[in-house]
Amino acid sequence: MDLLGFSLSYVSHALPSSGLSLSIANGIQWNTKHTQNDFHRTSKFAKIWVPFCKKYNIQTRAPFRYFSGELILTGSCNSLEFQQEYNKMKDEYEELASKIKDAVEKSMEWDLIGDFAIFSNMERKNHPTIIKVMRDQNEAGLSEALPHLIYVSREKRPEHPHRYKAGAMNVLTRVSGLMTNAPFMLNVDCDMFVNNPQIFLHAMCLLLGSKNERESGFVQCPQYFYDGPKDDPFGNQLVVEHKYLGKGAAGIQGPFYGGTGCFHRRKVIYGSCPDDVGNQAKRLTPVHGGLSYKEQLRIFGDSKEFLRSAAHALQGKENIRPKNLPTLVEAAHQVAGCGYEYGTSWGTEVGWQYGSATEDVLTGLMIHARGWRSLFCTPDPRAFLGCAPRGGPISMTQQKRWATGLLEILISRRSPIVATVTARLQFRQCLMYLLFLTWGLRSVPELCYAVLPAYCTITNSRFLPEVHEPAIYIYTALLLSYVIYTLMEYLETGLSIRAWWNNQRMARINAMNAWFFGFISVILKVLRISDAAFEVTQKDQSSSNDGGEGRFTFDASPIFVPGTTVLLLQLTALIMGFRGRQLSVDGGSGLGEILCSIMVVMCFWPFLKGLFAKGNHGIPLSTIFKSAFLALCFVLLAKRA
């Protein structure tokens, strides 16, 4: 199996068990020479860490988690020998962590000689391909039982688009295809670590136990998080979504590909179909039986070594490991070059798909469209744990990118509607995809509904029936049904009422801010005014949040203008409503609209606190001035209407 990751962070958390090949692509935000040096240090630490875990059956394989918890002595660990090795191992890890931290924070200079000479005068976005075989399993002793360890930093040039995460994954796939050509691959993000060391066995049971291996295309583990703030104040831990929507999709054609914690078949990534024969396979994908050499070149590129490995993977031949990995480095440099994919089918028919900021969902959609199923793996303990984005700006950036990418898929020629009509995507699976792809579209009606009560209060009109009118029971029943149903979901999942409210509140905030900007980005892209940018979600692994755990943070980004405008508009309407009329006990004119405005203010409570707070917990004055101007324009236009 090949393990595909993105940066040093994952390796420093937990190196996988033996039998895996680990390929690490240089992360987008990492300093290349520091990453490679730290990667080298981490590989040396792994030589003593992995045997220690196996000897004493350590289940927590991430050292930063293992050493941060309280030591419990049980079984073979209740011995003087273990305590001595434990203390030694802890000292080694603390020294490693300290050196990596100093290298990143202080930008330490290194003697760039020998293997490190290539890193001299290196630019982050303009450098050649760098591939280093840090550890060759064939040269190591059998007792060490460690995997291949290969450092990969793909070529980047300013004039060549590097396709962000999808481009990095395709490079890793080609390089690993040359180095090991393992039939299965695991994709994890840089902030995640293995929480269940048996997850590889769980996944292989699902993949190898399917009908002649012709059914399951990939196994997706839900993304869970560690050290998350209590009651999910930012609404991004997705526990309820995994339990109900994830398992619900598993009963149709399978869960979506989530971009991390996913086990793939290599031949599926290469574009094969479950029954890869006949005209139907040719119609769904260019990869089918009986490809000519010219067709192979057009699809996979002009590397003879890679064509040979791709043919073996597609035909399911036994994997023959090369005796000497360094001999393949030259060929690996070729397939990792920034110009290798031009004129090929990478990113369109094979590999991770281009054309969307959510390349994971698009890639999974294409796999389902070929007729593959996916499986949901939820072992106990949880398979992987990651770091959820904290604060306002980081969470909003992630939500905006999701909304943008999902809408890009919806309006493209590879939408689930097209895949249902022309390919093998099941109709009910299509509806599941549409449920998520329309996130960005929901922002427009949500904004309209949010400003509607304010508009009615300002213009002395109404959209709700009065309390004594029978129609009010319909609205009340709908509201109560929604509240009771969603609240039961959270309580059955083991979450609190506060967590339910936080998620309801953040759903409104995300829709009217991040999703709305995602919608605008796609509109501008359709009009060819500007392209949608790929914005990386920064992950902070510390459990603190600038002294305010769970508190919402702001910056000067325009993404907070819609929410601030809606809040100021509601406050203005409430002041005008309470000053302009007397509300009678039996529910006078405008009571329902004023209650709706109060509900909107409650949803935007973090913004209300941000109006009076300072620092990163306060809304910048520039945002307040812009929002106040927009709110004033709305009031004046409403008065004239």
Side-chain angles (χ1 to χ4, degrees):
M1 177 185 291
D2 286 341
L3 178 59
L4 304 182
F6 270 99
S7 73
L8 171 74
S9 175
Y10 175 80
V11 191
S12 64
H13 288 170
L15 198 74
S17 304
S18 62
L20 302 177
S21 173
L22 180 60
S23 304
I24 303 297
N26 176 245
I28 297 174
Q29 71 275 26
W30 285 78
N31 182 295
T32 309
K33 61 185 179 183
H34 291 161
T35 302
Q36 211 272 353
N37 274 277
D38 298 338
F39 191 68
H40 181 70
R41 286 198 180 103
T42 305
S43 66
K44 292 176 64 177
F45 174 75
K47 294 179 182 179
I48 58 175
W49 170 248
V50 174
F52 172 77
C53 291
K54 292 185 175 182
K55 180 178 180 180
Y56 295 104
N57 194 27
I58 304 298
Q59 296 299 302
T60 306
R61 298 297 175 91
F64 87 105
R65 297 290 291 178
Y66 179 69
F67 292 119
S68 64
E70 183 179 352
L71 178 62
I72 301 177
L73 299 178
T74 57
S76 61
C77 297
N78 192 11
S79 65
L80 180 62
E81 179 186 8
F82 167 77
Q83 295 182 42
Q84 292 175 343
E85 290 194 39
Y86 172 88
N87 293 329
K88 179 181 178 181
M89 192 65 57
K90 186 175 182 179
D91 292 339
E92 290 282 351
Y93 175 70
E94 290 177 348
E95 181 182 1
L96 169 68
S98 176
K99 289 182 178 179
I100 292 178
K101 183 178 180 180
D102 291 341
V104 174
E105 293 183 353
K106 299 179 181 179
S107 297
M108 297 173 59
E109 296 296 329
W110 304 93
D111 295 328
L112 302 178
I113 58 177
D115 289 340
F116 300 99
I118 194 172
F119 293 96
S120 60
N121 301 320
M122 184 69 66
E123 297 181 24
R124 186 166 62 95
K125 295 183 179 181
N126 187 14
H127 62 79
T129 300
I130 305 171
I131 299 177
K132 295 290 182 182
V133 179
M134 310 297 294
R135 181 179 182 81
D136 188 344
Q137 188 183 38
N138 298 315
E139 297 177 357
L142 294 178
S143 60
E144 296 180 352
L146 287 173
H148 294 305
L149 201 57
I150 304 164
Y151 175 87
V152 181
S153 183
R154 56 187 172 135
E155 182 183 13
K156 285 187 178 180
R157 301 299 180 191
E159 64 274 15
H160 293 278
H162 58 79
R163 307 291 187 177
Y164 304 100
K165 182 176 180 179
M169 293 302 298
N170 284 334
V171 168
L172 283 174
T173 301
R174 293 194 294 269
V175 172
S176 67
L178 289 171
M179 295 295 188
T180 66
N181 207 30
F184 302 103
M185 302 181 292
L186 168 61
N187 159 225
V188 288
D189 277 352
C190 65
D191 63 293
M192 301 193 73
F193 65 88
V194 177
N195 186 61
N196 185 341
Q198 302 299 318
I199 182 56
F200 304 99
L201 298 179
H202 287 293
M204 289 303 101
C205 287
L206 294 174
L207 288 168
L208 298 176
S210 60
K211 300 175 182 178
N212 298 321
E213 299 187 39
R214 291 184 177 182
E215 188 174 83
S216 58
F218 61 87
V219 171
Q220 177 67 58
C221 300
Q223 187 176 9
Y224 293 114
F225 306 99
Y226 63 91
D227 290 346
K230 185 180 179 181
D231 296 326
D232 193 11
F234 306 116
N236 54 16
Q237 296 180 21
L238 307 177
V239 177
V240 173
E241 286 79 1
H242 288 317
K243 179 174 181 178
Y244 291 100
L245 295 179
K247 292 185 177 180
I252 308 175
Q253 201 171 344
F256 304 162
Y257 168 38
T260 182
C262 187
F263 294 82
H264 293 277
R265 293 185 189 274
R266 183 178 293 274
K267 67 178 183 179
V268 173
I269 294 297
Y270 285 172
S272 70
C273 292
D275 297 304
D276 203 5
V277 293
N279 294 327
Q280 187 177 29
K282 293 182 180 181
R283 177 171 57 83
L284 296 172
T285 174
V287 181
H288 54 83
L291 283 175
S292 66
Y293 183 72
K294 185 177 180 180
E295 289 174 321
Q296 294 179 37
L297 288 175
R298 181 188 63 80
I299 296 171
F300 295 108
D302 58 357
S303 170
K304 294 182 179 179
E305 290 82 359
F306 181 75
L307 288 179
R308 189 179 304 113
S309 73
H312 285 178
L314 290 169
Q315 295 167 12
K317 292 184 178 180
E318 182 179 355
N319 181 38
I320 302 176
R321 296 195 174 193
K323 294 183 179 180
N324 189 10
L325 288 181
T327 60
L328 296 172
V329 171
E330 183 178 352
H333 273 77
Q334 179 186 1
V335 300
C338 58
Y340 180 81
E341 294 181 352
Y342 287 120
T344 69
S345 294
W346 284 100
T348 56
E349 299 289 349
V350 299
W352 271 256
Q353 301 294 291
Y354 303 150
S356 171
T358 52
E359 76 297 318
D360 45 7
V361 176
L362 180 57
T363 301
L365 172 59
M366 292 298 99
I367 293 174
H368 284 142
R370 297 189 198 114
W372 292 100
R373 293 181 58 86
S374 56
L375 299 171
F376 211 45
C377 187
T378 56
D380 186 20
R382 292 169 172 175
F384 304 96
L385 293 179
C387 182
R390 300 173 182 273
I394 298 175
S395 181
M396 289 293 171
T397 297
Q398 184 183 65
Q399 291 286 338
K400 177 190 173 184
R401 178 166 58 83
W402 287 351
T404 301
L406 295 174
L407 277 178
E408 287 175 330
I409 299 173
L410 180 65
I411 64 175
S412 71
R413 60 180 178 84
R414 294 185 285 182
S415 72
I417 299 175
V418 176
T420 302
V421 175
T422 63
R424 298 180 184 175
L425 187 69
Q426 296 180 16
F427 176 71
R428 289 190 300 160
Q429 188 76 4
C430 171
L431 296 180
M432 282 294 299
Y433 272 106
L434 292 177
L435 175 65
F436 288 93
L437 298 186
T438 54
W439 273 8
L441 296 179
R442 289 167 51 185
S443 62
V444 177
E446 290 238 16
L447 268 173
C448 293
Y449 279 118
V451 300
L452 182 58
Y455 173 83
C456 291
T457 303
I458 294 170
T459 60
N460 196 20
S461 59
R462 75 168 69 95
F463 72 96
L464 291 173
E466 295 185 19
V467 175
H468 62 273
E469 296 178 350
I472 193 65
Y473 297 114
I474 299 176
Y475 291 88
T476 305
L478 290 174
L479 176 62
L480 290 177
S481 298
Y482 175 80
V483 169
I484 294 173
Y485 178 77
T486 55
L487 184 58
M488 287 179 59
E489 287 183 333
Y490 279 80
L491 295 178
E492 290 178 2
T493 312
L495 300 176
S496 64
I497 297 178
R498 181 68 178 270
W500 167 81
W501 168 246
N502 286 336
N503 278 262
Q504 297 299 315
R505 171 177 54 81
M506 284 304 302
R508 309 287 79 76
I509 292 176
N510 288 330
M512 297 182 215
N513 292 275
W515 296 1
F516 179 69
F517 268 82
F519 172 75
I520 295 298
S521 296
V522 174
I523 293 297
L524 295 177
K525 180 179 179 180
V526 171
L527 297 177
R528 299 186 179 181
I529 297 177
S530 66
D531 288 332
F534 186 98
E535 298 174 277
V536 179
T537 303
Q538 303 293 333
K539 299 293 181 70
D540 180 13
Q541 293 172 354
S542 65
S543 59
S544 64
N545 189 29
D546 299 328
E549 179 71 11
R551 289 187 62 186
F552 207 84
T553 56
F554 300 88
D555 61 12
S557 170
I559 203 170
F560 296 106
V561 171
T564 309
T565 303
V566 169
L567 174 63
L568 294 177
L569 189 59
Q570 304 300 330
L571 295 176
T572 303
L574 287 173
I575 294 173
M576 295 176 64
F578 282 116
R579 290 185 61 183
R581 63 176 60 88
Q582 292 292 328
L583 298 176
S584 61
V585 179
D586 62 348
S589 175
L591 177 60
E593 286 72 23
I594 289 181
L595 290 177
C596 287
S597 289
I598 294 174
M599 181 63 68
V600 175
V601 172
M602 291 176 61
C603 288
F604 281 88
W605 191 256
F607 283 69
L608 182 61
K609 293 168 62 177
L611 291 176
F612 306 100
K614 296 182 179 180
N616 63 343
H617 297 298
I619 302 176
L621 286 176
S622 60
T623 301
I624 295 177
F625 289 148
K626 294 174 186 176
S627 301
F629 174 75
L630 292 175
L632 178 61
C633 291
F634 183 90
V635 172
L636 294 176
L637 291 174
K639 281 290 189 180
R640 284 173 172 254

